[in-house]
Amino acid sequence: MIQTIKKAFLALALVAAVGAAGEASAETLINGAGATFPYPLYSKWFSEYAKVDKSVKFNYQSIGSGGGIKQITAQTVDFGASDKFLSDAELKGAPGKLIHIPTVMGAVVVTYNLPGVPSGIKLNSEDLANIYLGKITKWNDPRIADDNKGVNLPAKPIIVVHRSDGSGTTSIFTDYLAGVNAEWAQKVGKGASVKWPVGLGGKGNEGIAGQIKTTPYSIGYVELAYAFENKLPYASLKNKAGVFVEPSIKSTSAAAAAAVKGMPADYRISLVNQPGKDAYPVVGFTWLLVYENQKDPAKGKKLVEFLNWSMTKGQKMAAPMLYAPLPESVVKMVQKTIKSIK
């Protein structure tokens, strides 16, 4: 399939070159697929980078981290994107050495649709886990009401919404729940796909945001930018230090600051439930997955140039779109890693 596309593409490029003497060289099409979590930012990056290098075009399919991992492993794309780092077994299953390139950090927020109730509901980790375990079923449950004095919570059933596709956002969220609730860790565990005890499934961050928006009394989890884009409220969550923290660039960066001290060389690290009173507890890196040895030298060179740009100009675009840029020390590490791509 890819060969057919390449042949067709080269034929078109040749026709264009013959038809317009002195025209610039053929466009390089770089294909990627994966995470919906960073999609709003990546869309911006790809359109901005097209102005920097007019010979490159990015085609990115926002299909979820699970799909991105499958496609890069099958080599049907030039890069994968995931908010879940690959296990040793997944790395072993790839036909070449895959490198994790962290791009930005994001917060996974708990969003909800409560008619008549303003944003800023507070949830502690135990209650959130019990909602997703199906043990807290009403919005006015005393356990939720305790943390929300003065808020008129309705006596309505909670409609739980979760991802139906293989998702890095799910991986971050379930990693958090498994770390704060022993029953969750034992019965459900963590990963890109889990056996949900209760709830309705939605595809992608887009699907969850859409479901919450149209379903009164629902609760779900999405990346911060999706809640903001869809004008959805989000909860303040109780962190490891016992403080209720609102998701923001500042509280996301505070979570990363603690973890960065122990950053491994392959960047496979969880940022959930970090210590520190300012740290938001449900935070994750998002990574691009690229092969160390690039099959197509011309395409590989263009991809490396883009990755270098993402560590400089690209980082400056993160915060306005509600993603936390990488800490300076991590950027320096990543720039060295990019140099190892052949």
Side-chain angles (χ1 to χ4, degrees):
M1 179 66 179
I2 295 292
Q3 290 306 113
T4 313
I5 292 168
K6 273 188 184 167
K7 278 178 190 166
F9 193 75
L10 286 169
L12 284 169
L14 188 62
V15 170
V18 171
E23 192 81 1
S25 63
E27 194 176 71
T28 303
L29 180 66
I30 296 177
N31 292 303
T36 66
F37 185 89
Y39 179 58
L41 178 64
Y42 287 178
S43 295
K44 171 88 171 157
W45 277 4
F46 299 146
S47 66
E48 288 301 314
Y49 192 71
K51 297 172 192 170
V52 176
D53 184 348
K54 292 182 172 63
S55 72
V56 175
K57 190 181 177 202
F58 284 89
N59 169 36
Y60 182 72
Q61 303 296 319
S62 169
I63 57 170
S65 297
I69 292 167
K70 272 186 193 145
Q71 292 214 16
I72 191 65
T73 304
Q75 294 182 301
T76 52
V77 289
D78 302 303
F79 66 89
S82 177
D83 325 311
K84 166 195 149 355
F85 59 76
L86 275 66
S87 66
D88 291 348
E90 285 171 320
L91 286 173
K92 227 178 196 168
K97 186 183 175 184
L98 270 175
I99 299 175
H100 288 74
I101 304 279
T103 51
V104 288
M105 301 165 299
V108 176
V109 307
V110 175
T111 181
Y112 52 88
N113 180 339
L114 273 181
V117 177
S119 65
I121 271 187
K122 293 175 178 166
L123 286 171
N124 67 53
S125 52
E126 206 57 32
D127 292 349
L128 183 58
N130 280 326
I131 288 169
Y132 270 83
L133 282 166
K135 293 176 126 185
I136 292 179
T137 58
K138 288 270 178 74
W139 277 108
N140 67 341
D141 187 291
R143 288 168 285 186
I144 301 176
D146 275 357
D147 291 324
N148 293 280
K149 301 275 190 269
V151 178
N152 188 18
L153 294 165
K156 294 279 187 183
I158 300 171
I159 298 166
V160 174
V161 182
H162 57 73
R163 287 284 286 273
S164 58
D165 53 331
S167 150
T169 312
T170 295
S171 186
I172 296 166
F173 186 61
T174 56
D175 185 16
Y176 165 69
L177 292 180
V180 296
N181 184 285
E183 189 182 348
W184 185 277
Q186 194 189 340
K187 285 187 179 171
V188 187
K190 59 186 179 181
S193 295
V194 296
K195 200 169 190 305
W196 295 98
V198 290
L200 311 168
K203 199 168 182 197
N205 273 282
E206 305 96 329
I208 298 285
Q211 263 189 316
I212 301 292
K213 205 171 184 175
T214 55
T215 313
Y217 310 109
S218 58
I219 190 168
Y221 59 94
V222 292
E223 199 281 322
L224 178 58
Y226 287 87
F228 193 78
E229 258 176 35
N230 289 279
K231 299 182 171 57
L232 292 168
Y234 36 83
S236 291
L237 298 183
K238 199 178 215 178
N239 67 12
K240 204 172 188 175
V243 180
F244 283 103
V245 183
E246 199 176 284
S248 67
I249 301 302
K250 193 174 169 231
S251 61
T252 301
S253 298
V260 159
K261 293 167 190 159
M263 176 64 73
D266 62 6
Y267 312 103
R268 293 190 295 161
I269 189 171
S270 165
L271 300 182
V272 303
N273 228 16
Q274 291 294 326
K277 62 181 176 54
D278 299 325
Y280 181 71
V282 199
V283 170
F285 277 124
T286 189
W287 296 269
L288 289 180
L289 305 169
V290 297
Y291 283 102
E292 187 178 67
N293 290 307
Q294 292 286 309
K295 282 201 302 191
D296 182 328
K299 214 180 251 198
K301 184 173 179 287
K302 292 290 184 189
L303 185 56
V304 164
E305 285 166 2
F306 166 74
L307 291 172
N308 281 319
W309 175 90
S310 76
M311 288 299 118
T312 52
K313 299 266 172 40
Q315 291 299 304
K316 294 187 177 102
M317 296 173 196
M321 298 194 72
L322 302 175
Y323 296 88
L326 298 176
E328 198 50 51
S329 60
V330 178
V331 168
K332 288 198 170 88
M333 276 177 78
V334 176
Q335 284 170 324
K336 280 185 188 159
T337 302
I338 293 167
K339 283 184 179 152
S340 72
I341 299 170
K342 302 172 184 69

